[in-house]
Amino acid sequence: MSWRPQYRSSKFRHVYGKAASKDKCYDCVPITRNVHDNHFCAVNPSFIAVVTECAGGGAFLVIPIKQTGKLDPHYPRVCGHKGSVLDIKWNPFNDFVIASCSEDTTVKIWDIPNQLLKRNITTPKKELLGHARRVGLIEWHPTADNILFSSGYDYKIMIWNLDVKDTILSKPVKILDCHRDVVLSMSFNTDGSLLATSCRDRKIRVIDPRAGTVLQEGSYKSHKVNKVLFLGNMKKLFSTGTSCWNNRQIALWDQNDLSVPLLEEDLDGSSGLLFPVYDSDTHMLYVVGKGDGNIRYYEISPEKPYLNYLMEYRSHSPQKGIGMMPKRGLDVAACEIFRFYKLIPTKSLIEPVSMIVPRRSESYQEDIYPLTAAAQPALTAQEWLNGINKGPLLVSLRPGSEDVNSLPQFLEPEPLVKTTDLSQQQEGGGRMQEKQKPRAIEDGRRRLKLEEKLPTNEQTCLSNGFGIFECPPPKTENELLQMYYRQQEEIRRLRELLIQRDVQIKQLELKLRNLCTDTGNY
């Protein structure tokens, strides 16, 4: 029997990482030197926030995403904490609200103004007082609005409802007291009904956060877990940690059986932490090393071997932390499927790294951009607390589709659907039968009325998905080319639309002529 190599086809086999040019980086940023194992950076399509080094108390910077280049040393900060800031996270449904936690045992919620900061922000929108020791982790709920999870060194996870009017909250809606040591990471499944945690006692737990019960608990003697991650709806968990020989290690687990990992693999002998990042749209998993400049990426499959190695992005500049841009902030014209923001404290630099699928076509690549989570909650805080589960609202990233910052894709204007249905019926019908003459005349009149209304409805769909605030005039040749390609794609789409309209008009004229000749014969 001849041996045959098992080739596996994938559209992400040739994904490569591309670091931004110096003028697209953020220079002279005083990045924190805290040794806490966190990302220290949070990104959304409007701002990039980074924990900064300061004397006394804790602070972080909020920089507009378009404001690249050298940062003013006197740039205003968000500085209301009395201890070092340990974690920051943007609200997934509001680009102007950010949460921070600190060594001063508090969690604070901040409102960021739309315009450039002119002075330091010192007064938070809300202050959460519940932990007895420093707070190391915070996570927003992925589908419910204004639900925040915080984890402290008092071994407790607290659930906060921010829908209340009070500015100071001292009583969380729920306290999860099932850990016997410090919680190292938290991760939600897609609809937020389950929470996975890794703990310093080497155990991984899957928790029902509303009931406060541990559904699964497990550890493995040869794998000391650091970070754990839900792999979307695949009912699997991914963890990074160290082996008994202190090698950096990754492991894959069945969500319903944490006794033995499905897969275990040693990576290297470095001492830095590994941050796992999962993209549920493309099923790609990124493993970012702290203290080195490498980003490994894999593709996840539901069957064995589960984890398929793709490539590794290498850089000589070691990263201390990492930020991830949400999908709605990516450049789809350049076939960008993910973007990292590397914190390089040795150079006081934040460097964007884009993961790109090489494609020759200039048009929108629908196969690499499936529907993604919208910036709109699927549930209110009270609905989730009452026990309702719902997946995220989905939206298309296609330029010219519904606005990616607000509504899901399935909410489309009604007349557009009717017109396309009628045009399909019209093309398949051929010549009109004599028995259906009065109905055809009425259909033609309705069709003409719909076509008169159509341009006003289509104006909302031709906005190209970019607002005035998000798309300033191009500054570089690359930006100018991208804008040119977008306009060419829009012109091509409009031409196709005009051709369809011309065909419909000719068909209507032909039918009217047939009607006139038929009535003349009688």
Side-chain angles (χ1 to χ4, degrees), residues 81 97-100 106-111 123-129 140 146 148 160-169:
H81 285 286
V97 173
I98 189 169
S100 64
T106 66
V107 179
K108 297 180 191 286
I109 314 297
W110 308 86
D111 269 339
T123 307
K125 179 184 177 182
K126 289 184 187 297
E127 191 170 3
L128 315 181
L129 310 172
W140 293 92
N146 286 325
L148 183 70
W160 304 89
N161 179 6
L162 305 181
D163 267 346
V164 296
K165 294 180 180 179
D166 301 335
T167 55
I168 297 177
L169 304 179

Side-chain angles (χ1 to χ4, degrees), residues 25 74 77 81 90 126 138 253 337 376 380 422 462 508:
C25 296
H74 303 292
R77 308 181 183 198
H81 285 286
W90 287 105
K126 289 184 187 297
I138 46 175
W253 308 79
I337 57 169
Q376 193 178 42
T380 63
L422 286 167
L462 301 179
L508 283 170

Side-chain angles (χ1 to χ4, degrees), residues 352-476:
V353 177
S354 298
M355 310 309 292
I356 295 172
V357 179
R359 293 283 173 96
R360 289 184 179 179
S361 175
E362 298 171 3
S363 60
Y364 176 75
Q365 305 294 305
E366 198 164 0
D367 60 324
I368 61 173
Y369 293 113
L371 295 180
T372 190
Q376 193 178 42
L379 296 167
T380 63
Q382 199 55 51
E383 284 174 341
W384 183 79
L385 291 170
N386 290 340
I388 300 174
N389 292 324
K390 195 179 285 186
L393 300 180
L394 300 178
V395 72
S396 172
L397 295 178
R398 178 189 287 273
S401 64
E402 290 293 326
D403 188 0
V404 294
N405 289 324
S406 56
L407 297 175
Q409 193 205 26
F410 50 80
L411 297 176
E412 292 183 345
E414 201 60 30
L416 281 173
V417 181
K418 290 182 181 176
T419 308
T420 51
D421 290 341
L422 286 167
S423 62
Q424 287 171 3
Q425 291 174 10
Q426 195 176 14
E427 289 171 5
R431 285 180 64 89
M432 182 177 53
Q433 294 183 5
E434 293 182 5
K435 295 180 182 178
Q436 297 177 344
K437 290 172 194 172
R439 188 180 299 172
I441 294 169
E442 289 178 8
D443 288 346
R445 286 173 182 168
R446 286 176 192 165
R447 209 172 285 124
L448 286 169
K449 287 179 181 177
L450 287 171
E451 286 178 357
E452 288 172 4
K453 294 178 182 178
L454 187 62
T456 56
N457 288 328
E458 281 198 344
Q459 284 172 2
T460 58
C461 295
L462 301 179
S463 62
N464 215 16
F466 293 92
I468 296 168
F469 177 76
E470 290 180 321
C471 193
K475 296 178 182 177
T476 63

Side-chain angles (χ1 to χ4, degrees), residues 491-507:
I491 290 167
R492 207 173 290 127
R493 202 171 69 83
L494 286 169
R495 279 178 182 160
E496 290 175 0
L497 203 64
L498 283 171
I499 291 167
Q500 289 176 5
R501 296 293 172 270
D502 289 339
V503 170
Q504 289 177 4
I505 289 167
K506 285 179 182 178
Q507 287 177 346

Side-chain angles (χ1 to χ4, degrees), residues 196-432:
T197 64
S198 61
C199 185
R200 200 173 278 172
D201 62 5
R202 299 191 175 193
K203 290 185 178 180
I204 297 174
R205 293 173 176 86
V206 177
I207 304 166
D208 182 346
R210 285 169 296 205
T213 55
V214 178
L215 305 178
Q216 287 288 328
E217 182 178 291
S219 63
Y220 198 58
K221 59 182 179 181
S222 65
H223 181 71
K224 182 182 177 183
V225 64
N226 279 324
K227 301 288 181 184
V228 69
L229 191 69
F230 259 111
L231 297 181
N233 283 327
M234 301 188 77
K235 298 192 180 298
K236 290 181 178 60
L237 297 172
F238 180 83
S239 67
T240 63
T242 54
S243 68
C244 52
W245 300 102
N246 279 336
N247 291 325
R248 293 201 293 191
Q249 194 178 60
I250 58 175
L252 194 69
W253 308 79
D254 184 354
Q255 171 184 313
N256 300 315
D257 182 14
L258 298 178
S259 57
V260 179
L262 299 171
L263 182 143
E264 197 177 27
E265 183 181 333
D266 284 11
L267 294 185
D268 54 39
S270 300
S271 58
L273 191 74
L274 292 172
F275 295 116
V277 181
Y278 182 62
D279 180 6
S280 59
D281 299 335
T282 59
H283 303 296
M284 283 184 67
L285 176 76
Y286 302 89
V287 180
V288 184
K290 181 182 178 181
D292 58 56
N294 303 342
I295 301 174
R296 298 174 176 87
Y297 39 102
Y298 305 79
E299 194 170 8
I300 302 292
S301 58
E303 293 100 18
K304 287 184 178 180
Y306 304 119
L307 202 63
N308 301 285
Y309 176 77
L310 294 175
M311 199 74 72
E312 182 177 3
Y313 168 79
R314 292 175 180 248
S315 169
H316 295 295
S317 304
Q319 61 248 4
K320 182 183 180 64
I322 202 85
M324 288 77 65
M325 173 65 79
K327 277 300 189 71
R328 54 198 174 89
L330 299 181
D331 182 8
V332 294
C335 295
E336 183 185 33
I337 57 169
F338 214 82
R339 191 191 304 161
F340 293 98
Y341 288 79
K342 289 176 52 175
L343 303 186
I344 308 172
T346 54
K347 298 180 180 179
S348 297
L349 187 74
I350 303 175
E351 181 185 52
V353 177
S354 298
M355 310 309 292
I356 295 172
V357 179
R359 293 283 173 96
R360 289 184 179 179
S361 175
E362 298 171 3
S363 60
Y364 176 75
Q365 305 294 305
E366 198 164 0
D367 60 324
I368 61 173
Y369 293 113
L371 295 180
T372 190
Q376 193 178 42
L379 296 167
T380 63
Q382 199 55 51
E383 284 174 341
W384 183 79
L385 291 170
N386 290 340
I388 300 174
N389 292 324
K390 195 179 285 186
L393 300 180
L394 300 178
V395 72
S396 172
L397 295 178
R398 178 189 287 273
S401 64
E402 290 293 326
D403 188 0
V404 294
N405 289 324
S406 56
L407 297 175
Q409 193 205 26
F410 50 80
L411 297 176
E412 292 183 345
E414 201 60 30
L416 281 173
V417 181
K418 290 182 181 176
T419 308
T420 51
D421 290 341
L422 286 167
S423 62
Q424 287 171 3
Q425 291 174 10
Q426 195 176 14
E427 289 171 5
R431 285 180 64 89
M432 182 177 53

